[in-house]
């Protein structure tokens, strides 16, 4: 299995380290060709406006959007959640637009917007959630969307079909559960086929 991370800007190495720890082969994704044969892709934290511009400039935005709509498992964290979102509050520019949520950038404020807290994530009730100038999931736009994480009274993680997205940074803590969840969603169809 090949698990990649979009490696244009931001904390992509941390995602690849976790994927490797979980037994996947890893790949830094920078060009169109790098998308070939991928089984899963992390969209890391960083700066969504910069990443969105690079995706466009490098001709990656459309091919990536098509792959996601065709079922490629993706995991967006922080800026990655913004890249995936269908709507961005305050008339923000939409990028991939495949995930039916409305996000609000810097929902916790720009200056004091970085903190760590515990909250539910997946089956873990006390997941250490690291926030760095994080966006918030202000609204879910499709009832098929599952809430995967919560903290401080807010929705902080969702799953919609093959798309997983978190406002915090699971790649910056020791808990590998959420990456495992994404990789398991790659393996699941094969298991079903074999059965
Ligand atoms: N505030 C950043 C943005 O809007 C996201 C921050 C992050 O990814 N840690 O893109």
């Amino acid at each position: 299995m090949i698990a990649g991370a979009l490696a244009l800007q931001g904390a992509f190495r941390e995602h690849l380290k976790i994927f490797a720890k979980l037994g996947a082969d890893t790949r830094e994704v920078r060009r169109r060709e790098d998308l070939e044969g991928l089984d899963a892709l992390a969209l890391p934290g960083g700066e969504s406006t910069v990443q969105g511009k690079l995706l466009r400039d490098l001709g990656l935005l459309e091919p990536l959007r098509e792959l996601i709509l065709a079922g490629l498992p993706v995991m967006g964290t922080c800026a990655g959640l913004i890249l995936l979102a269908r709507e961005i509050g305050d008339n923000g520019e939409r990028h991939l637009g495949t995930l039916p949520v409305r996000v609000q950038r810097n929902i916790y404020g720009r200056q004091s917007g970085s903190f760590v807290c515990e909250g539910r994530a997946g089956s873990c009730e006390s997941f250490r959630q690291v926030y760095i100038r994080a966006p918030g999931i202000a609204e879910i736009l499709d009832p098929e969307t599952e809430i995967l994480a919560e903290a401080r009274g807010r929705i902080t993680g969702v799953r919609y079909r093959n798309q997983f997205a978190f406002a915090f940074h699971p790649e910056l803590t020791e808990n590998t559960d959420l990456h495992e969840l994404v990789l398991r969603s790659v393996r699941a169809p094969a298991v079903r086929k074999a059965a």
Side-chain angles (χ1 to χ4, degrees), residues 108-115:
Y108 302 98
R110 274 172 191 276
Q111 299 310 325
S112 57
S114 301
F115 58 90

Side-chain angles (χ1 to χ4, degrees), residues 11-179:
F12 55 90
R13 289 184 190 86
E14 289 78 358
H15 279 287
L16 294 177
K17 257 187 224 162
I18 296 184
F19 284 146
K21 201 164 153 183
L22 294 173
D25 292 327
T26 59
R27 183 189 292 171
E28 294 182 2
V29 173
R30 293 197 178 83
R31 303 164 307 163
R32 253 181 119 122
E33 304 86 89
D34 299 331
L35 293 171
E36 264 166 50
L38 266 190
D39 294 301
L41 179 67
L43 305 172
E47 197 52 48
S48 58
T49 46
V50 175
Q51 293 184 11
K53 182 178 184 319
L54 288 169
L55 279 175
R56 285 179 183 83
D57 291 353
L58 296 165
L60 278 168
L61 192 74
E62 282 308 320
L64 184 53
R65 177 186 290 138
E66 279 165 26
L67 280 174
I68 295 170
L69 292 175
L72 175 72
V74 287
M75 177 183 203
T77 60
C78 206
L81 159 66
I82 300 170
L83 288 184
L84 289 170
R86 188 186 290 170
E87 289 181 18
I88 299 171
D90 298 330
N91 297 317
E93 187 184 15
R94 173 153 88 162
H95 304 287
L96 292 160
T98 50
L99 181 71
V101 296
R102 179 164 56 84
V103 297
Q104 187 68 44
R105 294 180 66 198
N106 297 306
I107 203 163
Y108 302 98
R110 274 172 191 276
Q111 299 310 325
S112 57
S114 301
F115 58 90
V116 180
C117 69
E118 301 226 326
R120 180 181 78 84
S123 56
C124 178
E125 288 300 327
S126 55
F127 196 103
R128 243 180 107 231
Q129 302 188 9
V130 176
Y131 292 84
I132 305 171
R133 292 177 295 106
I137 297 168
E139 193 182 346
I140 286 179
L141 304 170
D142 186 314
E144 208 189 302
T145 309
E146 182 190 345
I147 296 172
L148 277 187
E150 286 159 295
R152 293 190 171 181
R154 285 190 191 280
I155 299 169
T156 59
V158 293
R159 174 184 187 165
Y160 176 74
R161 301 183 180 172
N162 53 312
Q163 303 177 60
F164 299 76
F166 303 94
F168 56 97
H169 290 271
E171 76 282 12
L172 298 183
T173 48
E174 294 300 307
N175 193 325
T176 58
D177 282 7
L178 298 177
H179 287 78

